[in-house]
Amino acid sequence: MARTISLSFSLDPQSHHHHHHHHPPPYSTTLYKPHQTPFLAPKHTNPLLASNKSSRYNLTLSFSSSHPSSPTSSSSTLQDSVRSGRFFTAEELKKLQFLENFRYYQELRSGSMWVRVMKENEIDMTVGLLSESFAESMLLPMAYVNLLGFLVKQYLIERRTLIPHTVTLIGFYRGEDEGDEELAATAELCFNKRGANASPPTPTPPKESPYICNMTVKKPLRRKGIGWHLLKASEELISHMSYSRDVFLHCRMIDAVPFNMYIKAGYGIVKTDSILIWLTLQRRKHLMWKKLPMLDSPSESDVSDPTDKIPS
């Protein structure tokens, strides 16, 4: 059953997270990836060596789309995705397998974190994280928070129908003195034109290029380096999933700390919203760009043993 969501508005928080580091934390990075040849880059593999990002993320969600979807959407595993009835090319099947196996692990001073692709049964908790983040920044009453959660869920379900051209990542955190992990962060990645949002924020990024958006870190877990490494994981995955090395994202002009972090991460301003954007009740934003490095081999990044026990 096709669904059309045409609300044609953006949720643009006026003040988001405040848990940023001015400099990259001196943590040791361990990248956990399946031992298989990357399937996209013609001659090179481009794992990202170092990147940083503040956790005051652009949380502009556009709910204007017309992609068909089903009640269950894409499923959490390759096998279930194939059973969904959608036709996948051989290249898409390889991408699905890579996404299913992708893990990024990071030791932090206060614990550890890992990042992977969101599964279907994790949509609700991801919706909760995004909705709480919006509500905090927009000071919405509870009635509107519930509506916001409904809209965000419809958005995530619909976006899952476009896997492997776009994907939602989720990050988990475990403190040094805690036994259980908890959902800590999320980010959405668009790898190509087929995965691009039908109505992206302005200034409009190129649809054919990778785009990072809707990143947030749970409030009690800020200032631990989680957001920093969520961006690093995002760029690492993009380097394997897209031919293009040109990555775009948005940053609001009022967010000085994340802007400085983007600059230190290698992003530069491409274009800035006109002041007339205020007429739409939105904050002015920079469209920022970075070219991921081309590396001859993945040896410049640490790859952990696939037998290491990383939560699935």
Side-chain angles (χ1 to χ4, degrees):
M1 178 178 180
R3 181 194 299 110
T4 301
I5 304 176
S6 301
L7 300 183
S8 298
F9 67 90
S10 294
L11 300 173
D12 195 4
Q14 295 183 358
S15 60
H16 200 46
H17 302 323
H18 304 278
H19 56 295
H20 319 293
H21 301 277
H22 291 276
H23 300 283
Y27 305 138
S28 60
T29 301
T30 302
L31 180 64
Y32 178 89
K33 298 192 298 255
H35 284 261
Q36 62 184 76
T37 302
F39 48 84
L40 283 179
K43 294 183 179 180
H44 303 284
T45 301
N46 300 325
L48 183 71
L49 298 184
S51 61
N52 53 61
K53 182 181 189 299
S54 77
S55 316
R56 187 186 304 171
Y57 306 111
N58 166 49
L59 273 168
T60 302
L61 275 174
S62 172
F63 295 97
S64 181
S65 179
S66 58
H67 298 294
S69 59
S70 63
T72 57
S73 75
S74 294
S75 53
S76 59
T77 66
L78 172 64
Q79 293 77 12
D80 289 340
S81 296
V82 173
R83 287 200 297 268
S84 69
R86 173 183 163 192
F87 173 77
F88 292 94
T89 65
E91 184 179 32
E92 285 178 324
L93 290 175
K94 290 180 180 179
K95 290 179 180 180
L96 284 169
Q97 185 66 69
F98 191 86
L99 289 173
E100 184 177 337
N101 293 333
F102 180 79
R103 299 290 187 277
Y104 176 94
Y105 181 77
Q106 175 65 42
E107 290 289 345
L108 305 174
R109 288 173 175 168
S110 59
S112 60
M113 64 171 288
W114 51 93
V115 179
R116 60 169 171 77
V117 173
M118 180 188 72
K119 299 178 182 178
E120 185 176 24
N121 62 0
E122 294 165 332
I123 289 179
D124 285 340
M125 66 179 186
T126 306
V127 167
L129 177 58
L130 284 169
S131 299
E132 288 174 7
S133 184
F134 276 119
E136 175 195 351
S137 59
M138 300 176 72
L139 303 177
L140 294 175
M142 185 56 64
Y144 287 95
V145 171
N146 293 336
L147 173 61
L148 178 60
F150 172 79
L151 295 174
V152 172
K153 183 171 183 177
Q154 300 312 304
Y155 174 85
L156 290 182
I157 290 175
E158 185 168 327
R159 295 297 287 166
R160 277 181 59 81
T161 67
L162 299 179
I163 292 175
H165 305 287
T166 183
V167 74
T168 297
L169 292 181
I170 52 177
F172 294 88
Y173 171 79
R174 176 181 291 153
E176 293 179 343
D177 301 325
E178 300 174 11
D180 297 329
E181 66 274 4
E182 60 180 307
L183 178 65
T186 183
E188 180 182 340
L189 312 181
C190 305
F191 301 119
N192 51 43
K193 187 174 183 179
R194 291 187 62 182
N197 199 289
S199 181
T202 58
T204 306
K207 288 185 177 293
E208 66 275 7
S209 296
Y211 175 63
I212 303 174
C213 61
N214 302 331
M215 300 183 72
T216 188
V217 174
K218 194 173 182 179
K219 186 175 181 179
L221 301 178
R222 298 168 191 170
R223 299 186 180 276
K224 294 180 181 292
I226 293 173
W228 184 294
H229 293 289
L230 178 62
L231 178 66
K232 192 171 184 180
S234 298
E235 292 181 328
E236 175 66 34
L237 184 54
I238 286 172
S239 72
H240 287 279
M241 293 293 293
S242 176
Y243 289 111
S244 175
R245 293 299 180 260
D246 297 314
V247 181
F248 291 82
L249 51 79
H250 283 96
C251 180
R252 297 182 310 165
M253 291 182 64
I254 63 171
D255 295 335
V257 174
F259 175 77
N260 291 333
M261 297 301 294
Y262 288 133
I263 294 296
K264 291 178 181 178
Y267 289 88
I269 298 175
V270 175
K271 189 175 181 181
T272 301
D273 268 328
S274 164
I275 195 171
L276 296 178
I277 196 69
W278 281 94
L279 297 176
T280 64
L281 303 180
Q282 297 184 54
R283 296 282 190 175
R284 295 181 68 189
K285 300 179 293 299
H286 296 302
L287 176 64
M288 304 188 74
W289 162 86
K290 174 182 179 179
K291 182 176 286 292
L292 297 181
M294 293 290 292
L295 304 177
D296 292 333
S297 71
S299 61
E300 297 181 61
S301 291
D302 293 329
V303 181
S304 65
D305 190 309
T307 60
D308 289 349
K309 295 182 178 179
I310 303 228
S312 59

